[in-house]
Amino acid sequence: MLERLTELEDKALAELEQAAGQADLKAWKVKYLGRSAELATITAGLRDLSKEERPAVGRRANEVKNALEKAYEAHFESLRAETLDRSLREERLDVTLPGRSVSHGRVHPANQTLRQIYAIWAEMGFQIYLSREVESDEYNFTLLNMPEYHPARDMWDTFHTTEPGVLLRTHTSPGQIHVMRERAPEPIRVILPGMCYRYEQITARSEIQFNQVEGLAVGRHITFADLKGTLNAFARRMFGQEVRTRFRAAHFPFTEPSAEMDIECFICGGEGCQVCKRTGWLEILGCGMVHPIVLHNGGYDPQVFSGFAFGMGTERITMLKYGIEDIRYFWGNDLRFLEQF
Ligand code: FA5
């Protein structure tokens, strides 16, 4: 029996030397140290041996078991170290290589201008009021003093929906009626920013969608002088303290009197250049005193209340600020353009 144990030990150790991977090692362990291994059978059969034989065989069986376990542990450890070593060698990372830079998104130039405009009007005490982009014919035209078949409706080429009387707003002015109906008879000082849509020929200066910022002030003693003073204060904050402005008579059905405001061309300083079409002036917005009919439609008594309103296009202002020649860049999603801001 003692000889058998020695043979078993030699055989097991020799086989262990051959184990080349974790799978071999596992199979070896089952074969020599598992519950049905020969060594386990010998240990279980100890009680059948004679009293004389039993202690020696028992001790030797224990020795063999310990030796095999120790050899197993050592082999397991060396295999693990070898695997680790190999993976370190083969999958080496060069941590000194330069990394790939993460590109950051940035605020769209139209939104940068919008945020600047919000900040200026906020400083002057104007709240932001968000109005809907899908509008009714009634709010976009009728309540703004342009009843059905009024020729002034042709000033705005309109996207109509398949739902009769429902359209995409052509300007932010319908928001005036919404805010007045919500606030009457309280005084109002708000700006109404947002996207507008026009069924127009796309050119370097005109898009079918663009942002406008509408402004509305309603109170008991508001005059055209307030309109001019407020818009001049805005222009100075937006374009610099030195900027000169002028007001030209214009026509909008929802304001009376109506005007357009120009700023002196800051590219040529008023001398006349390509950007200002040799006039020395750049148009930035339409404005006027809120028409009595519009005040009435908003729920204000025009005998008691007056107000001013204005509407500016933010892409056109951004184009002026940065010397951008074509409005189509704004929604073209060309990173070469966007990354410049
Ligand atoms: C209006 O839309 C009036 N609702 C403005 C207004 C409000 C007047 C309140 C009086 C009182 P107009 O159609 O001119 O007016 O447009 C105003 C601004 O929107 C223009 O000055 C321009 O900057 C911008 N805009 C108009 N059409 C386009 C377009 N197709 N693409 C880009 N910007 C445009």
Side-chain angles (χ1 to χ4, degrees), residues 140-158:
N140 198 78
F141 294 119
T142 312
L143 294 170
L144 292 174
N145 198 24
M146 284 175 279
E148 234 181 310
Y149 305 116
H150 194 292
R153 284 182 172 217
D154 287 349
M155 288 165 71
W156 294 276
D157 300 297
T158 310

Side-chain angles (χ1 to χ4, degrees), residues 156 171 173 198 200 207 210 212 214 283 311 313 316 327:
W156 294 276
H171 51 176
S173 301
R198 290 191 195 173
E200 278 184 10
E207 256 292 359
F210 54 93
Q212 277 189 350
E214 187 91 5
E283 179 210 317
R316 293 249 180 101
I327 199 170

Side-chain angles (χ1 to χ4, degrees), residues 74-120:
H75 203 80
F76 179 86
E77 203 37 58
S78 87
L79 260 182
R80 206 179 62 87
E82 203 179 291
T83 316
L84 181 68
D85 208 41
R86 190 173 341 111
S87 79
L88 284 176
R89 233 180 308 117
E90 288 171 3
E91 301 159 22
R92 215 168 71 204
L93 266 181
D94 184 352
V95 291
T96 63
L97 280 174
R100 286 192 200 99
S101 62
V102 180
S103 62
H104 294 274
R106 39 197 109 183
V107 181
H108 192 282
N111 286 337
Q112 288 184 26
T113 307
L114 269 175
R115 288 184 188 182
Q116 197 186 352
I117 293 174
Y118 294 167
I120 293 172

Side-chain angles (χ1 to χ4, degrees), residues 27-57:
W28 182 91
K29 195 178 182 193
V30 171
K31 186 169 168 190
Y32 290 103
L33 291 169
R35 262 192 249 162
S36 341
E38 191 179 345
L39 188 59
T41 318
I42 293 174
T43 314
L46 279 177
R47 66 181 107 91
D48 302 329
L49 294 180
S50 67
K51 252 191 198 162
E52 296 74 31
E53 235 182 335
R54 203 182 296 158
V57 173

Side-chain angles (χ1 to χ4, degrees), residues 27-267:
W28 182 91
K29 195 178 182 193
V30 171
K31 186 169 168 190
Y32 290 103
L33 291 169
R35 262 192 249 162
S36 341
E38 191 179 345
L39 188 59
T41 318
I42 293 174
T43 314
L46 279 177
R47 66 181 107 91
D48 302 329
L49 294 180
S50 67
K51 252 191 198 162
E52 296 74 31
E53 235 182 335
R54 203 182 296 158
V57 173
R59 201 180 315 117
R60 181 73 187 119
N62 250 338
E63 274 171 20
V64 172
K65 185 166 180 259
N66 287 340
L68 292 188
E69 278 176 353
K70 223 165 139 189
Y72 171 84
E73 288 300 334
H75 203 80
F76 179 86
E77 203 37 58
S78 87
L79 260 182
R80 206 179 62 87
E82 203 179 291
T83 316
L84 181 68
D85 208 41
R86 190 173 341 111
S87 79
L88 284 176
R89 233 180 308 117
E90 288 171 3
E91 301 159 22
R92 215 168 71 204
L93 266 181
D94 184 352
V95 291
T96 63
L97 280 174
R100 286 192 200 99
S101 62
V102 180
S103 62
H104 294 274
R106 39 197 109 183
V107 181
H108 192 282
N111 286 337
Q112 288 184 26
T113 307
L114 269 175
R115 288 184 188 182
Q116 197 186 352
I117 293 174
Y118 294 167
I120 293 172
W121 287 109
E123 261 175 29
M124 298 203 280
F126 283 70
Q127 289 180 316
I128 295 180
Y129 184 99
L130 290 179
S131 185
R132 62 196 66 169
E133 288 180 26
V134 179
E135 259 305 348
S136 64
D137 179 284
E138 188 190 14
Y139 274 78
N140 198 78
F141 294 119
T142 312
L143 294 170
L144 292 174
N145 198 24
M146 284 175 279
E148 234 181 310
Y149 305 116
H150 194 292
R153 284 182 172 217
D154 287 349
M155 288 165 71
W156 294 276
D157 300 297
T158 310
F159 281 114
H160 295 274
T161 67
T162 46
E163 191 69 31
V166 178
L167 45 82
L168 299 184
R169 68 174 173 197
T170 56
H171 51 176
T172 40
S173 301
Q176 289 187 29
I177 304 288
H178 287 293
V179 72
M180 280 195 268
R181 288 191 167 179
E182 207 174 290
R183 302 269 172 96
E186 298 296 323
I188 296 175
R189 247 192 294 175
V190 291
I191 56 165
L192 305 113
M195 195 60 89
C196 303
Y197 305 86
R198 290 191 195 173
Y199 187 45
E200 278 184 10
Q201 175 75 43
I202 298 176
T203 67
R205 276 180 61 74
S206 300
E207 256 292 359
I208 56 169
Q209 64 170 87
F210 54 93
N211 284 288
Q212 277 189 350
V213 177
E214 187 91 5
L216 175 70
V218 178
R220 281 171 191 269
H221 307 289
I222 293 179
T223 66
F224 198 84
D226 294 321
L227 167 63
K228 285 180 76 174
T230 311
L231 287 176
N232 279 333
F234 166 77
R236 281 198 293 275
R237 287 181 165 141
M238 188 79 200
F239 299 103
Q241 286 302 318
E242 305 308 316
V243 77
R244 292 208 306 151
T245 57
R246 75 173 182 189
F247 288 79
R248 278 179 295 103
H251 170 72
F252 297 103
F254 33 89
T255 46
E256 180 58 37
S258 303
E260 275 172 345
M261 185 169 109
D262 298 341
I263 56 168
E264 193 173 48
C265 180
F266 43 74
I267 310 252

